[in-house]
Amino acid sequence: MLVEKNVSLQPYNTFGIVARAETLVRVRSTEDLAAFRADPVLGRAQVFVLGGGSNVVLTGDVKPVVLKMEIRGRRLVRETPSAWIVEVGAGEPWHDTVAWTLEQGWPGLENLALIPGTVGAAPVQNIGAYGVELQDRFDSLDAVDLATGLGFTLDAAQCAFGYRDSVFKHAPSPAGPSGSLPRGMGLAGRAVITQVRFCLPKPWKPELGYLELERRAAELGMEQPTAQQIFDWVCEIRRAKLPDPAVIGNAGSFFKNPTVSPEQCQDIIAREPKIVHYPMPDGSVKLAAGWLIDACGWRGKTVGKAAVYEKQALVLVNRGHGADSVTGGEVMTLARAIQTSVYERFGIRLEPEPVVV
Ligand code: EPU
């Protein structure tokens, strides 16, 4: 266990916000977590678990102990007639892992190429893109309960995956039985994911349900593209409209796409015929938050160093650099102004996607 004091978090959050951690602990193994728990001072402190920092907005210095997850390792656990089961350490970079599985000949994660962040953060918000969500390729995960020090394994049902949601995003109920793992309750701040196992189904089938991929396959006359081709297309599409966090700081989509009832949707369509909407399998309708924000004229607008990305209104970006970077306060002021104007025009409340610390 490596303990560091007064650490700059700017390199560890993709927005590039300037903030410091009073204490940062690098977790490189499950044993490091045990050592952390056993420490008389650290073991009692509040914690904040940091993966790749691609889904956080830091609004100030972080007082809780930052557990920076750096557990590495990737391996094939088993191969069955119907799947490859691959286990990956929480600290492995997501995109490199996707590329590695393809190199090994285990396709299935290609639609999720180029998503920033780490493997351990992927289940927390059930990352998704281009017609595939993490839960579609998930087997199970290992985690450590910080309250008891015990390791445990969760399957997909126990993770309670939803749209950009899981049990790891919800706070434990204060009424929960102490000493035991809360059932059906949140695990935020309590459980630390150490390994994730993926289930990559055989035979592999391309997932081209997303309009932009379908269009590309049709244009090139490829009805049966390979997983590598889909990987390349997803990278091209993402590079064309999403900012590279290494160049322009950002946290990906800043708001979730809201869902409304079909009646609400009809009501909105009557007023806004062009609204981009998708019917969902459960009968509800998902609206494109980027379209709503765009329709309110936000594209390219700024608050201090915080800006709405010109090519995709759903992404807020850092227009500053280095010490002169955006502050979490500026980002949240811009986010709240967007929420207010979308609510006033459409009656819809947008919910932020990143974790605000
Ligand atoms: N749109 C606009 N103006 C904009 C942005 C979008 O009119 O400024 C319209 C587009 O024309 C399109 C629709 O909104 O018809 C949806 O846009 P897009 O296809 O780009 O996808 P999205 O809903 O904005 C979601 C995910 C992304 C994921 C893409 C691709 C959420 C919150 N975002 O974005 O995930 O990569 O689909 O599957 O669900 C992320 O979570 O960080 C992320 C980038």
Side-chain angles (χ1 to χ4, degrees):
M1 168 174 77
L2 240 124
V3 183
E4 293 166 33
K5 293 282 180 190
N6 192 25
V7 182
S8 166
L9 293 175
Q10 194 175 25
Y12 301 144
N13 76 98
T14 60
F15 235 121
I17 292 170
V18 178
R20 304 190 84 80
E22 278 180 11
T23 308
L24 181 139
V25 178
R26 293 182 192 275
V27 176
R28 296 191 170 147
S29 65
T30 317
E31 291 71 43
D32 276 354
L33 279 177
F36 170 75
R37 270 202 80 251
D39 186 286
V41 179
L42 293 175
R44 289 198 178 83
Q46 273 212 315
V47 297
F48 172 67
V49 181
L50 184 65
S54 63
N55 206 42
V56 289
V57 181
L58 302 174
T59 55
D61 290 344
V62 181
K63 299 276 183 306
V65 174
V66 175
L67 288 184
K68 185 158 185 305
M69 298 310 292
E70 298 183 352
I71 299 178
R72 307 297 291 251
R74 305 189 280 224
R75 68 190 180 108
L76 181 71
V77 189
R78 62 178 187 278
E79 183 175 353
T80 72
S82 60
W84 294 278
I85 308 294
V86 178
E87 183 179 83
V88 186
E92 291 284 351
W94 175 265
H95 176 74
D96 296 355
T97 300
V98 174
W100 173 80
T101 53
L102 291 180
E103 279 159 26
Q104 304 302 309
W106 310 323
L109 296 178
E110 56 283 349
N111 293 54
L112 302 175
L114 224 55
I115 295 181
T118 51
V119 166
V124 175
Q125 55 151 344
N126 185 23
I127 60 171
Y130 306 102
V132 176
E133 283 185 320
L134 175 105
Q135 64 175 345
D136 304 323
R137 302 287 183 266
F138 181 83
D139 175 72
S140 55
L141 60 78
D142 297 335
V144 171
D145 180 357
L146 287 174
T148 62
L150 297 176
F152 62 97
T153 298
L154 297 185
D155 63 18
Q158 291 165 314
C159 288
F161 290 125
Y163 167 60
R164 295 297 194 278
D165 197 26
S166 78
V167 71
F168 299 100
K169 273 196 133 177
H170 297 267
S173 151
S178 63
S180 67
L181 244 166
R183 283 187 192 283
M185 286 180 250
L187 292 175
R190 172 147 183 188
V192 181
I193 298 169
T194 52
Q195 266 92 23
V196 180
R197 279 172 297 278
F198 300 96
C199 174
L200 308 176
K202 290 201 276 185
W204 173 80
K205 285 197 298 295
E207 179 54 68
L208 297 172
Y210 195 85
L211 190 68
E212 279 170 287
L213 288 180
E214 197 181 63
R215 202 179 285 154
R216 198 152 298 215
E219 274 166 15
L220 299 169
M222 284 187 193
E223 270 164 35
Q224 282 297 314
T226 62
Q228 187 61 45
Q229 270 156 349
I230 295 177
F231 175 91
D232 292 341
W233 293 344
V234 168
C235 290
E236 278 170 38
I237 296 169
R238 289 187 75 98
R239 286 198 174 108
K241 67 176 179 190
L242 294 169
D244 176 356
V247 184
I248 303 172
N250 75 92
S253 299
F254 200 89
F255 297 100
K256 294 185 189 183
N257 285 327
T259 40
V260 294
S261 68
E263 296 74 34
Q264 277 174 298
C265 189
Q266 280 314 317
D267 210 49
I268 299 174
I269 290 174
R271 288 183 286 133
E272 313 274 348
K274 291 205 194 105
I275 195 159
V276 176
H277 60 286
Y278 318 94
M280 301 305 288
D282 66 358
S284 64
V285 183
K286 193 175 265 188
L287 304 176
W291 187 92
L292 299 171
I293 298 166
D294 205 5
C296 292
W298 280 102
R299 218 189 263 229
K301 293 274 167 61
T302 58
V303 166
K305 295 275 174 356
V308 180
Y309 191 51
E310 287 81 2
K311 294 186 205 161
Q312 161 61 293
L314 194 50
V315 179
L316 304 190
V317 296
N318 177 1
R319 284 278 163 235
H321 291 282
D324 190 27
S325 275
V326 71
T327 64
E330 287 170 332
V331 173
M332 294 314 293
T333 302
L334 177 58
R336 279 191 281 268
I338 292 170
Q339 283 171 313
T340 304
S341 79
V342 167
Y343 184 71
E344 282 172 358
R345 171 141 175 215
F346 299 103
I348 291 167
R349 291 185 198 280
L350 291 181
E351 204 187 313
E353 200 194 354
V355 178
V356 180
V357 186

